[in-house]
Amino acid sequence: MRLTSLISVFALILAGCSSNVDSHKYYKFTIDSNDSKPSTSVIKPRVYIDTISILGAANQQALIQYIDKSRVNIANFHYWAEHPEHMLAQATNTYLTNEGFNSIPLAFAGDDVEQYVTLKIVINEFAGHFSEGAILRGNWYLYQRNKRNKVLLNSSSFSLSNPLDNDGFDALVMAHRNNWQSLMTAITNNLRQIEKQID
């Protein structure tokens, strides 16, 4: 009887452990550029990526959704695969490199940053919304470095929204990706204009 009780308890413990299914999902996106094969033979202009800052509730790994002006839903089981600031910095770096720029994180620049452009992006909203889909709002800044001083060359605010093709977080992530792609296209166009002025 005692052996039967022990086996029953052991079987219950095993059943409880095996039924604990990890239902967390992790998401990440990358963006494409027009020129997917950067030329290594041409000297490329340098662009240093300063901080990409996300303000407010979206500055966390969980995906979020705005319900109304005063409420935000934070996903319990749906997360970005890495911190969104890091993911966006990596996507920006890859995009600019593929567009023909020598893209370098500012933290790795050392002291040799004179006469080069730096990019800073500040994001106010990076979330899903019931009626607007994925929303991306904030400001970007392009600076010219000159003897440890920064001169603002250009800046712009951005407000992008992209409707979701389907319900669910997969569609939200794809809509976020499309917003970031549009932002990168706008910034790249400005960088090319500045490049012509500097030359």
Side-chain angles (χ1 to χ4, degrees):
M1 186 70 165
R2 195 177 205 185
L3 182 62
T4 306
S5 298
L6 279 172
I7 291 173
S8 298
V9 170
F10 185 67
L12 285 173
I13 291 172
L14 282 177
C17 291
S18 63
S19 66
N20 186 13
V21 177
D22 185 13
S23 58
H24 290 74
K25 287 187 73 177
Y26 297 92
Y27 302 87
K28 181 176 172 128
F29 68 76
T30 56
I31 55 175
D32 302 320
S33 65
N34 297 328
D35 180 15
S36 60
K37 294 180 182 177
S39 172
T40 56
S41 60
V42 179
I43 297 175
K44 299 183 283 186
R46 285 189 196 172
V47 176
Y48 288 98
I49 300 175
D50 201 341
T51 55
I52 295 181
S53 303
I54 301 176
L55 308 178
N59 189 21
Q60 60 186 332
Q61 204 165 345
L63 273 74
I64 69 165
Q65 177 188 29
Y66 289 115
I67 302 301
D68 55 36
K69 291 183 179 178
S70 59
R71 290 189 305 152
V72 174
N73 267 354
I74 298 176
N76 287 328
F77 301 106
H78 298 269
Y79 297 96
W80 293 110
E82 57 188 317
H83 198 283
E85 288 180 350
H86 298 190
M87 178 185 66
L88 296 178
Q90 185 180 48
T92 301
N93 188 39
T94 302
Y95 184 89
L96 292 176
T97 299
N98 289 338
E99 282 293 312
F101 293 94
N102 189 0
S103 177
I104 304 166
L106 188 60
F108 303 131
D111 293 331
D112 185 27
V113 292
E114 292 185 16
Q115 304 302 318
Y116 296 115
V117 176
T118 60
L119 167 66
K120 179 175 182 144
I121 301 173
V122 179
I123 300 165
N124 300 322
E125 293 185 39
F126 181 64
H129 194 279
F130 180 74
S131 59
E132 297 177 57
I135 53 178
L136 176 67
R137 295 187 179 115
N139 300 287
W140 57 261
Y141 308 90
L142 291 171
Y143 294 99
Q144 176 76 49
R145 289 238 167 206
N146 187 8
K147 294 184 180 177
R148 300 189 186 267
N149 293 325
K150 290 194 296 189
V151 177
L152 182 64
L153 296 175
N154 202 354
S155 67
S156 179
S157 60
F158 53 88
S159 180
L160 302 167
S161 64
N162 205 318
L164 275 57
D165 293 335
N166 297 301
D167 289 337
F169 287 98
D170 290 328
L172 175 60
V173 169
M174 185 56 71
H176 275 310
R177 177 195 178 281
N178 293 338
N179 280 341
W180 199 255
Q181 179 93 31
S182 298
L183 178 62
M184 289 295 99
T185 301
I187 290 173
T188 301
N189 290 338
N190 275 271
L191 281 168
R192 294 205 191 288
Q193 291 174 2
I194 289 170
E195 182 186 357
K196 290 176 184 175
Q197 293 169 2
I198 292 174
D199 289 344

